Amino acid sequence: MSSATTNIPQFLIAAPSSGSGKTTVTLGLLRALANRGLKVQPFKCGPDYLDPMHHKIAGKNTSINLDTFMASKGHVKQLYQKYASEAEVSIAEGVMGLFDGAEKMQGSSAEIAALLGVPVILVINANAMAYSAAALIYGFKNFNKNIALKGVIFNNVKTASHYTFLQDACLDVNVEALGYLPPQEDITIPSRHLGLSTSSDIDFDALCERIAASISNTVDLDRLLEITTGPVLNVETPVPSVKLPAKKPKIAVAFDEAFSFTYHENLEAFLRLGEVTLFSPLADEFLPECDLLYFAGGYPELFLEQLSQNKSMLHAVRTYCQRGGKTYAECGGMMYLGKSVIDTTGKEFEMVNFLHLTSSMENPKLHLGYRNIAIQDFVIKGHEFHYSTCLELENTAILPCIITNAKGVAVPSSVYKKQQTIASYLHLYWGENTGFILRILNGTI
């Protein structure tokens, strides 16, 4: 069945390249419009799990990933309709440059904007740029006719007179100049090695308020909402084809400051399958009763001492795994299940000591990209993003599978299996198809 058409302001924030200010502008708009009392629905293009966490703080609503590599286009459209149709404003933050995808435009912000029929607002870093912006805007407007570039917000505009040159540039290519952000140190978003910081010592709520205040002073929010209002796409809602277990399984999900990198729809899939209980490997002493234990990725390397000192939890997890408890762990979760983690100074911290591996943050090296994982007779997709190195110890068991990047080229990643525990560096997406999780629950992987 399909739902009634909803007309709301909706747009995708994009940029010519990373580092232009997309996230700053997105967070400011989310908070400024939420402060008006509007129900704002954030989205994030691509596989990122950090930006959605900050969207939730800024917009006071859960942010949803839209990714046409990890999921089908039909699924992405269904997600967008489901969440946008319940909102009063929909804001999607793009990924990298507007047309940058896994291969050409595949999975790009432009592909998603065209798929959803939403207009694009371009964020341009105007530092050391004036009328030359016209050529840049003209190119982005005309490169692909499926993209509706409706307006531009400029970043790093030092003076009002500087902005007049940029307004002239927009006028001459028939794209609206909606305003600008001046350079301000107090609205700079701090970063860590994996992306935007998640540290609890940063007051993101106050940061969002400062960005929102700045945007409200120099960006025409009313005009932005006016030129982007249109119907939310209307698609058929599919009937679920996956057969649910006869008895609802109990699923325990590690979720705290050390383990939080997961996709909202993955958790929603867990809720469709069974009963979900969240617990904290940092603070809790015991595991909840469960049929499946899930450790997402995160920043365990920032909490190594606290994780290592929680001996009760380490023992509980090790005992559960040793007794054949079904467990799935990703990236930081895999590191936690290993023998130990070595920090950037070379100091080693004991972990669960179930998997025969040690992870090291020394000599960090970036591993990044989409991944296809062929296991047995099925394929699941995901993303890899880490700087640590996995040191396989003697008797490390590797699950037979083929792992390739977006272009089908084999990559040197591994999936580990010991008893009923499966772990890897890969962040997988099962929000569309829970078959992978059902195989773990059934013990058929």
Side-chain angles (χ1 to χ4, degrees):
M1 296 179 63
S2 59
S3 60
T5 301
T6 303
N7 279 277
I8 60 170
Q10 52 182 327
F11 51 89
L12 186 148
I13 297 291
S17 66
S18 295
S20 300
K22 289 192 308 292
T23 298
T24 300
V25 170
T26 300
L27 295 180
L29 290 174
L30 287 170
R31 177 54 63 89
L33 295 175
N35 284 348
R36 289 187 171 193
L38 296 171
K39 182 179 181 181
V40 186
Q41 178 57 60
F43 294 93
K44 173 63 184 180
C45 299
D48 188 278
Y49 19 76
L50 287 168
D51 284 347
M53 293 167 62
H54 300 128
H55 290 177
K56 185 174 183 179
I57 296 172
K60 304 174 183 179
N61 197 4
T62 300
S63 184
I64 307 299
N65 288 82
L66 303 172
D67 193 297
T68 51
F69 177 85
M70 296 194 301
S72 70
K73 291 181 180 180
H75 179 68
V76 170
K77 291 167 72 173
Q78 290 152 12
L79 284 181
Y80 186 77
Q81 177 190 265
K82 174 183 176 182
Y83 291 97
S85 61
E86 297 174 352
E88 294 172 291
V89 181
S90 169
I91 303 177
E93 180 183 354
V95 56
M96 300 189 293
L98 176 58
F99 298 104
D100 297 328
E103 186 170 5
K104 293 189 177 181
M105 278 180 55
Q106 181 190 6
S108 68
S109 306
E111 181 181 75
I112 291 172
L115 178 69
L116 304 179
V118 298
V120 170
I121 303 299
L122 199 65
V123 176
I124 294 177
N125 184 351
N127 184 38
M129 181 186 296
Y131 187 68
S132 291
L136 180 64
I137 298 165
Y138 180 86
F140 274 81
K141 177 184 177 183
N142 293 287
F143 179 73
N144 188 301
K145 296 301 182 182
N146 294 320
I147 306 303
L149 178 56
K150 286 291 187 74
V152 179
I153 296 173
F154 294 96
N155 192 24
N156 288 318
V157 177
K158 295 180 180 178
T159 63
S161 61
H162 179 194
Y163 182 56
T164 62
F165 289 99
L166 302 169
Q167 287 177 301
D168 288 341
C170 287
L171 183 64
D172 287 353
V173 295
N174 197 29
V175 174
E176 291 206 32
L178 294 168
Y180 65 93
L181 272 174
Q184 293 173 257
E185 286 190 9
D186 67 343
I187 64 171
T188 300
I189 301 174
S191 63
R192 287 200 189 272
H193 59 279
L194 278 179
L196 296 181
S197 174
T198 61
S199 176
S200 59
D201 60 0
I202 298 167
D203 189 344
F204 265 97
D205 188 72
L207 175 62
C208 292
E209 282 291 344
R210 291 195 296 272
I211 302 172
S214 181
I215 278 183
S216 297
N217 285 333
T218 51
V219 174
D220 190 341
L221 297 180
D222 292 329
R223 183 59 179 160
L224 169 63
L225 298 179
E226 181 182 353
I227 67 173
T228 59
T229 296
V232 175
L233 85 167
N234 199 346
V235 296
E236 294 294 321
T237 303
V239 177
S241 58
V242 176
K243 185 177 181 180
L244 299 179
K247 180 183 177 182
K248 283 193 171 184
K250 295 180 179 180
I251 304 171
V253 175
F255 198 85
D256 57 22
E257 286 185 291
F259 305 99
S260 58
F261 293 175
T262 190
Y263 301 115
H264 177 75
E265 291 305 301
N266 280 357
L267 298 181
E268 288 292 298
F270 278 156
L271 289 170
R272 291 194 298 271
L273 288 175
E275 301 173 7
V276 176
T277 303
L278 305 182
F279 73 98
S280 170
L282 284 170
D284 294 339
E285 295 184 13
F286 305 105
L287 279 177
E289 180 184 351
C290 62
D291 302 297
L292 174 65
L293 178 58
Y294 170 54
F295 288 93
Y299 280 138
E301 64 270 25
L302 301 182
F303 304 93
L304 291 177
E305 186 169 355
Q306 189 175 346
L307 289 169
S308 184
Q309 288 180 352
N310 191 349
K311 302 299 183 183
S312 176
M313 178 58 74
L314 294 176
H315 174 75
V317 174
R318 183 168 56 251
T319 300
Y320 172 87
C321 293
Q322 287 174 339
R323 291 176 177 173
K326 296 179 175 67
T327 308
Y328 176 61
E330 298 180 323
C331 202
M334 177 198 72
M335 295 165 66
Y336 179 68
L337 294 184
K339 176 180 179 292
S340 60
V341 176
I342 301 170
D343 70 11
T344 55
T345 69
K347 185 176 180 180
E348 188 170 8
F349 293 84
E350 180 183 347
M351 293 291 122
V352 171
N353 195 19
F354 177 72
L355 295 176
H356 296 294
L357 54 87
T358 286
S359 302
S360 176
M361 295 300 299
E362 288 187 298
N363 305 312
K365 180 182 178 181
L366 177 61
H367 301 79
L368 169 67
Y370 283 116
R371 300 290 182 255
N372 294 288
I373 306 94
I375 303 176
Q376 298 168 346
D377 60 344
F378 73 99
V379 175
I380 187 168
K381 296 184 178 184
H383 188 256
E384 185 171 3
F385 189 6
H386 61 94
Y387 280 86
S388 66
T389 301
C390 181
L391 309 173
E392 298 172 2
L393 307 178
E394 188 178 357
N395 299 322
T396 301
I398 297 177
L399 184 71
C401 60
I402 299 173
I403 304 175
T404 58
N405 63 18
K407 296 188 176 183
V409 179
V411 294
S413 298
S414 297
V415 177
Y416 304 102
K417 182 178 181 182
K418 180 180 178 183
Q419 294 178 232
Q420 294 297 312
T421 294
I422 296 173
S424 76
Y425 268 126
L426 311 176
H427 298 264
L428 303 182
Y429 184 78
W430 57 84
E432 180 175 9
N433 186 341
T434 54
F436 171 71
I437 296 301
L438 287 172
R439 289 176 186 241
I440 294 177
L441 280 166
N442 296 332
T444 55
I445 293 182

